[in-house]
Amino acid sequence: MLQGIENIVFDLGGVMIDLDRDAAWRNSTRSDSPNRRLIDSYHRKDSRTVGTGDVTNDDFYDYVRRSAGRDIADDEIRRAFTSFLAGIPRYKLQMVRTQRERGFRTYALSNINDVVFPFVRDVLFTQEGLQLDDYFEKAYLSYEMHELKPSPEIYRKMIEKSGMRPEATLFIDDNAENLHTAQELGFHVYMPRPREDFRFLFDDGPGR
């Protein structure tokens, strides 16, 4: 699988980060939390402006409050929209570091926003006492790039900024549309199942 590969690009949510959307629904039943309809609309494909960074966090929080018809603290909104992030298994963090040590260039490419990303960066990726930069040479984030997967433009921007060659790059994502675009651009691809231990791609052993 890695013959001729120089770079490995990981999606975050659903690949590195285990997801538990039921937790978001459970949180949404609390009287002071955004309701399920709001959380669902936040994750729909047509909710583009948050993921592309085209609205500020304050504007987003105000939108949630208006839609809910009540006052909700910013911190409560953030907690509601990060509650579906179930964590990163430590073996996956070790897996990425191992690939860097073996000489592969590792990257992240994620549809994500500035409401959720600080939690990902400051909590999920620090459990080994390290930082996000210890795992990836660069994290390419939709809200910073003003593009969303599966648009070809976000891949092209990543290629241009990193200098990677798609034909020498393995892209791992849990969304078939994202992988289809990547394949059309020449990437090697793999789609893991939910919570799959895909270390066999790198001969790093079975899951724990």
Side-chain angles (χ1 to χ4, degrees):
M1 186 74 179
L2 296 182
Q3 185 174 0
I5 296 297
E6 301 169 357
N7 320 290
I8 307 169
V9 181
F10 298 86
D11 180 33
L12 293 180
V15 173
M16 289 299 299
I17 304 169
D18 288 342
L19 303 180
D20 182 4
R21 287 191 169 85
D22 287 342
W25 309 154
R26 290 192 297 272
N27 256 18
S28 72
T29 63
R30 292 175 47 179
S31 61
D32 58 347
S33 295
N35 61 33
R36 176 170 179 160
R37 180 179 59 82
L38 288 176
I39 295 174
D40 187 53
S41 69
Y42 173 80
H43 293 294
R44 286 173 52 198
K45 289 182 182 178
D46 60 357
S47 299
R48 298 181 59 85
T49 55
V50 182
T52 57
D54 293 332
V55 300
T56 66
N57 286 357
D58 287 341
D59 288 340
F60 174 70
Y61 298 144
D62 288 342
Y63 159 76
V64 172
R65 283 187 278 267
R66 287 194 308 271
S67 299
R70 63 182 186 275
D71 189 39
I72 307 171
D74 291 355
D75 284 347
E76 184 64 30
I77 296 171
R78 279 194 296 271
R79 283 194 295 271
F81 290 114
T82 57
S83 61
F84 73 100
L85 304 177
I88 303 176
R90 185 163 290 197
Y91 76 81
K92 287 188 178 180
L93 295 174
Q94 295 167 347
M95 173 190 69
V96 175
R97 286 194 292 104
T98 297
Q99 305 324 308
R100 293 195 77 177
E101 291 166 1
R102 293 173 65 189
F104 294 100
R105 298 167 69 196
T106 57
Y107 300 89
L109 177 64
S110 179
N111 285 352
I112 202 166
N113 56 73
D114 198 26
V115 175
V116 171
F117 182 65
F119 176 79
V120 171
R121 178 193 61 213
D122 300 334
V123 177
L124 300 185
F125 273 96
T126 59
Q127 61 178 297
E128 292 188 309
L130 301 174
Q131 304 295 322
L132 187 74
D133 291 346
D134 294 308
Y135 301 99
F136 304 118
E137 294 202 19
K138 174 69 177 176
Y140 293 100
L141 310 173
S142 63
Y143 79 90
E144 293 181 339
M145 301 177 77
H146 303 287
E147 300 285 352
L148 284 172
K149 297 178 291 185
S151 168
E153 289 308 309
I154 194 169
Y155 300 88
R156 292 187 180 117
K157 287 183 178 181
M158 178 179 68
I159 292 166
E160 179 181 359
K161 291 176 182 293
S162 67
M164 68 176 61
R165 297 181 299 122
E167 64 273 18
T169 304
L170 172 63
F171 175 54
I172 303 172
D173 197 288
D174 65 331
N175 181 287
E177 291 182 64
N178 298 343
L179 295 176
H180 178 72
T181 299
Q183 279 186 304
E184 288 191 329
L185 293 171
F187 288 87
H188 301 265
V189 301
Y190 181 76
M191 185 169 70
R193 299 182 305 276
R195 301 191 181 226
E196 178 185 347
D197 178 355
F198 51 87
R199 280 181 293 174
F200 68 89
L201 294 175
F202 316 114
D203 296 324
D204 285 347
R208 301 173 200 174

